[in-house]
Amino acid sequence: MRTSLKFAVGSFLLMLHTGAVGQSASMPPSTADANSGRDPIADLVGRLDLEKYKATIKGLTQFGDRRQGTDRNRAAIDWIETQLKSYGCATERLKYEYLEQGRTGSEPRVEVASPAKGSQPARTLGGGRGRYVRNPTYLNGDPNKQPDPKLRSLDTPPAVPGPREEVYCTKIGTTHPDEMYIVSAHMDGHGWGEAANDDGSGTALVMELARILNSPGVVTERSIRFALWNNEETGHQGSRAYVAQRRTLQGKEMPAGSGKYPEPKWLGMIQHDMMLFDHGAPRPDGSISLEQRTEADINIEFQSASKFASEANSLAWAIEAANENYASDYPAVIGSHMTNTDSVDFQDDVPSVSLRENERGTQIGSGWDPHWHQPTDVYATFSDKDFRLGLNAAQTTLAAVAQLAGARLGK
Ligand SMILES: [Zn+2]
C-alpha cells in the first residue's frame, strides 16, 4: 500500500523537479518519522473529525448564501480570517473590483457545450459526454422559494458593484519557502439558501486543513497556501484577480536577501467545490435517491485541454493514491474534464485539479445534485453520510498535500 503511494507522489515530484520546474531531482518525502517510527501522514489525517468539519460548515451558514458584494459576504470573510488566525496561519487579503451585478436567476437549462452533429455525441461543459437521464438545472432567483423567513431576509440584500476582498493564509516551508501548493475553495454562494454544499463544504475542508497543518509541531519542507476565493459564482473573478496580480511575483525574494517569498512558486493547485452529495443519476422519471449512494466517490478532475494536462494528470493520481491509503470510507476516481471552478484560472500556469462530489460537466451539469444553487442548499438538508463524503475528500487532500509538501512532526 505504502509503496504505491510513495510511487505516485514521488513520480509527481520527479516530474516537477525534472520538467517544468527545472530543478535537480529530489527524493520523495519519507512517510515514516525518523525518530518515532510513526507515520506522520496517518497522524495528521487522524486529526480530522466529522463533528468538527460539520461545525465549520454550520459556522459558515450563519452568513446565509454569502453572496459576493454584500455585508453577509464581508462578515463571512472576517469570520473565516478570524478562524484561520486562531489556527496560527498567517492571513492576507487580495483586493480587486467587481463592477457588474451578477446573475440573479435564469431559465432551466441542460448544459451542452456543443450540439450533437451526425454521430458525434453532444459534449457537456468541460468536454465530457453527457449520459443517462439528464435533468435541467438552474440558478434559483425567486426569494419566495425559501420557506424560512429568517433565512429569506438574511439573503435579501442584493450584491452591490464595487471593491471586493478575499482571504488566504500560508504555511511557510522550512527548506523550500519559495515553492508552494495552493489548496482552495470558494466562499461565496447564491440561490436563496445557505450555500452549505456549494461551497461551504469545500471552504470548511480548506479551513480544516489549515487548522491541522498549522498546528504546533507540524513542519513542511514546502509552503502551502490556503485560499478562499470570492466571486466564483459570478465567473471566478476572485481567482482571476489573484492570478493576474500575483503570477509574475512567483518565486521572487522580496526584499532581496530577506529570505521572504510573498508569492512562492506554484507547484500545484487543488480546488474543492461541492463535496457532499453523490446520490446518483436521475431515474427515468427524473427523481433522485434521498440517500447517499453506496458507490459514492470523490471525483478528481483535471483538464485534458490545459497546458499542464500531463502534470495535472500525475497530480490527480498522487491524490488518488493518497485516498487509497488514507481515506476512511469513500474512494476517489479521476476524470479529464475539469471545468467551471477557480482551478480553471490556474490550469495553464500550474498543474491544477478539482475535487468534487460528482464530475461538474457530465454529472452535476446533468442535474445529479437537485440542491445545486437552490434554496434547499442548507445545512439541514444533508445527512452524516453526505458530510462523510466531504470528510473523506479532506482526508484525501490532507494526505496528498502533506506528502507533496514534505510534512513531518516535530518533537
Ligand atoms: Zn461552487
Side-chain angles (χ1 to χ4, degrees), residues 2 31 33 36-49 211-213 215-218 325-326 395 398-399 402 407-410:
R2 193 63 14 93
T31 47
D33 187 295
S36 63
R38 286 178 301 168
D39 175 0
I41 310 301
D43 183 308
L44 292 168
V45 170
R47 300 182 193 189
L48 282 164
D49 172 71
R211 176 177 70 82
I212 290 165
L213 287 164
S215 52
V218 179
N325 285 294
Y326 293 104
Q395 294 166 337
L398 175 54
R408 58 178 199 277
L409 303 174

Side-chain angles (χ1 to χ4, degrees), residues 155-350:
D155 283 349
T156 292
V160 176
R164 297 283 184 274
E165 297 191 9
E166 62 197 4
V167 65
Y168 57 84
C169 75
T170 311
K171 163 96 179 166
I172 297 173
T174 49
T175 54
H176 298 277
D178 56 330
E179 299 178 351
M180 74 173 172
Y181 290 90
I182 299 172
V183 177
S184 63
H186 70 86
M187 51 70 63
D188 67 309
H190 57 186
W192 295 89
E194 292 175 339
N197 186 27
D198 185 11
D199 187 23
S201 63
T203 300
L205 183 158
V206 172
M207 292 171 69
E208 277 292 276
L209 267 54
R211 176 177 70 82
I212 290 165
L213 287 164
N214 286 282
S215 52
V218 179
V219 173
T220 61
E221 293 173 4
R222 292 178 171 77
S223 301
I224 306 170
R225 181 158 289 171
F226 306 88
L228 288 319
W229 315 116
N230 202 351
N231 271 96
E232 192 275 344
E233 297 290 8
T234 50
H236 356 140
Q237 286 83 7
S239 50
R240 271 165 46 195
Y242 181 95
V243 171
Q245 292 181 29
R246 306 198 63 85
R247 69 193 292 190
T248 57
L249 305 176
Q250 284 182 73
K252 289 187 179 158
E253 188 183 38
M254 288 188 288
S258 65
K260 292 197 162 85
Y261 300 85
E263 192 66 25
K265 179 174 175 54
W266 306 342
L267 297 181
M269 196 282 190
I270 308 173
Q271 168 79 353
H272 305 80
D273 193 353
M274 304 172 71
M275 311 312 296
L276 304 182
F277 191 93
D278 187 1
H279 293 209
R283 302 184 185 109
D285 67 356
S287 65
I288 288 167
S289 169
L290 296 175
E291 279 276 310
Q292 190 81 295
R293 63 176 177 152
T294 313
E295 308 82 4
D297 54 21
I298 297 154
N299 291 83
I300 307 168
E301 295 182 271
F302 68 99
Q303 176 47 258
S304 55
S306 69
K307 196 168 156 192
F308 287 91
S310 174
E311 294 88 345
N313 182 15
S314 295
L315 173 60
W317 282 108
I319 297 169
E320 192 271 351
N323 171 274
E324 282 278 286
N325 285 294
Y326 293 104
S328 54
D329 309 280
Y330 295 106
V333 295
I334 295 174
S336 57
H337 305 297
M338 181 180 79
T339 187
N340 289 71
T341 193
D342 299 291
S343 43
V344 166
D345 303 298
F346 288 83
Q347 68 182 16
D348 293 327
D349 283 291
V350 59

Side-chain angles (χ1 to χ4, degrees), residues 43-87:
D43 183 308
L44 292 168
V45 170
R47 300 182 193 189
L48 282 164
D49 172 71
L50 184 66
E51 292 308 318
K52 183 88 182 73
Y53 176 58
K54 287 165 63 179
T56 307
I57 296 174
K58 183 78 184 152
L60 288 160
T61 63
Q62 70 185 295
F63 306 100
D65 66 4
R66 304 182 298 284
R67 190 184 187 106
Q68 58 82 30
T70 63
D71 284 343
R72 60 191 181 279
N73 173 274
R74 287 182 280 272
I77 296 170
D78 291 344
W79 184 81
I80 292 166
E81 181 163 26
T82 301
Q83 307 305 310
L84 294 174
K85 277 188 176 151
S86 78
Y87 305 152

